[in-house]
């Protein structure tokens, strides 16, 4: 009997109710395809994740609580929760106007830095509208536009108001309500949990109280949402410590209800006659500022409330040995964090500075 005849006979002897093999194969293929589709559309694990385009854990609020800039609201996987809280370890400052090509997520991967500070926001053409460098709209900054991808990589960044140029927002915006709203818009737009005030001139008493009142209001609002807002002040320091006006400003700000987490000291690097960096004046300046910070913040001791930021005139201002000394000084005294300003240190020095324990 031929093979064809045998197969025909097998089909004729199939038990009643048994579907043809071709139909079984077709149904199996449909089941596999349907299962694959079901798995594809299932929601991913949500532990530590949030919907794309909105800072994680942010609540839907009034119109001023905006989401991240449009550049970070592209379709795709939701972003993990940012580091949040307050800076620690080594904090990289980024001048977003002078260095518009700075890539936050790439820098985080290459340097192992988790915290950045983005500056500076000052008063724009309209006194109560903060802009980058006083001339670039908040959502038009390419560096800040990468903040979402930085958070996806496990990092975070704060916003720096003030700085060496432009009009400080609290001095330019004399209406307390509009000033508070201006800070609120900036904080909400970038979903940040940390802001810094780099005050080169503390201003008169009214300016100090306007700024303090706005900070206190924002911190109350943030606490009510369950996302505390960390605030620091960046101030210049000399061999005698802080200036009396800066010390008084800190005290008045704290007494007005604002909580100051840290005072970041800008300390210029001194050069010895040999041309080498001399870090002893930096250490002396920090020690001189310590009792001033403690008194201003109403603390018996304030080492953990002090951050140190050496200001470099050139990339060679710090050697590898200097970097190790700075890290040791920061760790030994329990300072809040370490950073640098001015010229970028060499790659070797950067690697040593960023190795500081977080």
């Amino acid at each position: 009997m031929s093979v064809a005849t045998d197969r025909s006979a097998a089909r004729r002897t199939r038990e009643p109710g048994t579907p043809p093999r071709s139909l079984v194969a077709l149904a199996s293929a449909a089941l596999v395809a349907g299962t694959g589709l079901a798995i594809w559309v299932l929601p991913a694990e949500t532990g530590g994740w949030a919907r794309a385009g909105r800072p994680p854990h942010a609540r839907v609020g009034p119109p001023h609580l905006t989401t991240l800039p449009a550049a970070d609201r592209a379709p795709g996987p939701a972003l993990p929760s940012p580091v949040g809280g307050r800076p620690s370890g080594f904090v990289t400052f980024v001048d977003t106007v002078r260095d518009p090509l700075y890539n936050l997520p790439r820098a985080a991967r290459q340097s192992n830095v988790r915290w950045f500070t983005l500056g500076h926001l000052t008063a724009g053409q309209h006194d109560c509208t903060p802009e980058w460098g006083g001339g670039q709209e908040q959502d038009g900054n390419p560096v800040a536009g990468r903040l979402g991808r930085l958070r996806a990589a496990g990092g975070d960044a704060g916003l720096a108001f003030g700085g060496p140029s432009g009009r400080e927002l609290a001095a330019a915006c004399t209406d307390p309500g509009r000033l508070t709203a201006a800070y609120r818009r900036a904080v909400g737009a970038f979903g940040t949990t940390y802001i810094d005030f780099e005050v080169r001139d503390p201003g008169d008493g009214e300016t100090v109280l306007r700024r303090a009142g706005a900070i206190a209001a924002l911190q109350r609002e943030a606490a009510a949402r369950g996302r505390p807002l960390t605030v620091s002040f960046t101030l210049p320091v000399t061999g005698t410590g802080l200036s009396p006006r800066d010390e008084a400003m800190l005290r008045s700000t704290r007494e007005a209800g604002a909580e100051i987490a840290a005072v970041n000291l800008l300390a210029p690097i001194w050069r010895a006659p040999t041309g080498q960096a001399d870090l002893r004046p930096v250490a002396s300046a920090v020690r001189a500022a310590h009792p001033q910070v403690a008194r201003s913040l109403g603390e018996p001791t304030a080492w953990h409330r002090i951050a140190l930021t050496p200001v470099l005139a050139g990339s060679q201002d710090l050697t590898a040995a200097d970097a190790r000394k700075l890290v040791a000084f920061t760790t030994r005294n329990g300072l809040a964090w370490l950073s640098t300003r001015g010229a970028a240190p060499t790659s070797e020095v950067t690697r040593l500075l960023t190795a500081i324990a977080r």
Side-chain angles (χ1 to χ4, degrees):
M1 182 172 60
S2 67
V3 175
T5 303
D6 187 46
R7 287 179 178 172
S8 176
R11 284 196 296 268
R12 286 195 300 271
T13 59
R14 187 177 59 242
E15 293 184 6
T18 304
R21 291 182 180 180
S22 59
L23 183 59
V24 172
L26 181 61
S28 299
L31 178 61
V32 171
T35 304
L37 176 62
I39 293 174
W40 182 73
V41 299
L42 281 175
E45 293 293 329
T46 57
W49 291 71
R51 284 178 290 177
R54 178 173 297 144
H57 309 303
R59 300 181 181 179
V60 177
H64 58 259
L65 293 175
T66 56
T67 57
L68 290 171
D72 275 331
R73 286 189 271 113
L79 302 180
S81 300
V83 175
R86 62 187 62 193
S88 61
F90 185 83
V91 179
T92 296
F93 174 80
V94 183
D95 189 325
T96 64
V97 177
R98 294 186 178 182
D99 195 359
L101 300 180
Y102 194 92
N103 191 307
L104 290 170
R106 183 172 60 195
R109 289 192 301 269
Q110 293 178 346
S111 65
N112 203 32
V113 172
R114 296 182 68 188
W115 269 102
F116 296 79
T117 303
L118 310 182
H120 289 92
L121 286 164
T122 57
Q125 182 178 1
H126 303 288
D127 293 343
C128 296
T129 303
E131 297 181 349
W132 297 104
Q136 186 182 71
E137 294 184 0
Q138 287 183 37
D139 59 358
N141 187 282
V143 179
R146 300 184 182 99
L147 181 53
R149 292 192 290 277
L150 170 66
R151 287 173 175 161
D156 210 342
L159 306 177
F161 294 90
S165 60
R167 296 178 301 166
E168 207 270 326
L169 196 61
C173 185
T174 58
D175 182 279
R178 295 181 66 192
L179 176 64
T180 303
Y183 289 139
R184 183 188 293 120
R185 282 193 297 272
V187 170
F190 298 103
T192 186
T193 59
Y194 164 59
I195 57 176
D196 176 70
F197 294 87
E198 186 174 334
V199 180
R200 297 302 177 98
D201 180 2
D204 56 27
E206 293 182 357
T207 298
V208 172
L209 292 179
R210 271 197 305 274
R211 186 193 304 112
I215 293 172
L218 292 181
Q219 289 182 319
R220 288 193 298 269
E221 295 171 5
R225 293 194 300 271
R227 298 186 77 226
L229 180 63
T230 297
V231 173
S232 66
F233 277 79
T234 293
L235 303 171
V237 67
T238 65
T240 57
L242 297 172
S243 72
R245 294 184 68 197
D246 285 341
E247 184 178 357
M249 177 201 64
L250 292 174
R251 182 177 63 253
S252 297
T253 300
R254 190 255 306 174
E255 292 174 348
E259 180 182 347
I260 303 173
V263 178
N264 180 31
L265 302 178
L266 290 176
I269 294 295
W270 299 85
R271 286 187 171 275
T274 58
Q276 298 296 318
D278 186 356
L279 298 181
R280 289 174 299 179
V282 174
S284 297
V286 175
R287 294 190 183 100
H290 172 254
Q292 297 173 304
V293 174
R295 286 194 302 267
S296 299
L297 303 186
E299 299 278 354
T301 182
W303 289 110
H304 64 293
R305 298 286 193 95
I306 293 177
L308 175 58
T309 299
V311 181
L312 312 183
S315 60
Q316 303 299 320
D317 278 359
L318 287 181
T319 64
D322 296 330
R324 293 187 183 94
K325 292 177 183 178
L326 284 172
V327 169
F329 180 83
T330 301
T331 303
R332 183 171 60 251
N333 290 287
L335 302 188
W337 66 80
L338 179 64
S339 186
T340 61
R341 290 285 178 91
T346 65
S347 58
E348 180 186 10
V349 169
T350 299
R351 178 179 59 80
L352 293 169
L353 293 176
T354 57
I356 187 172
R358 297 169 185 162

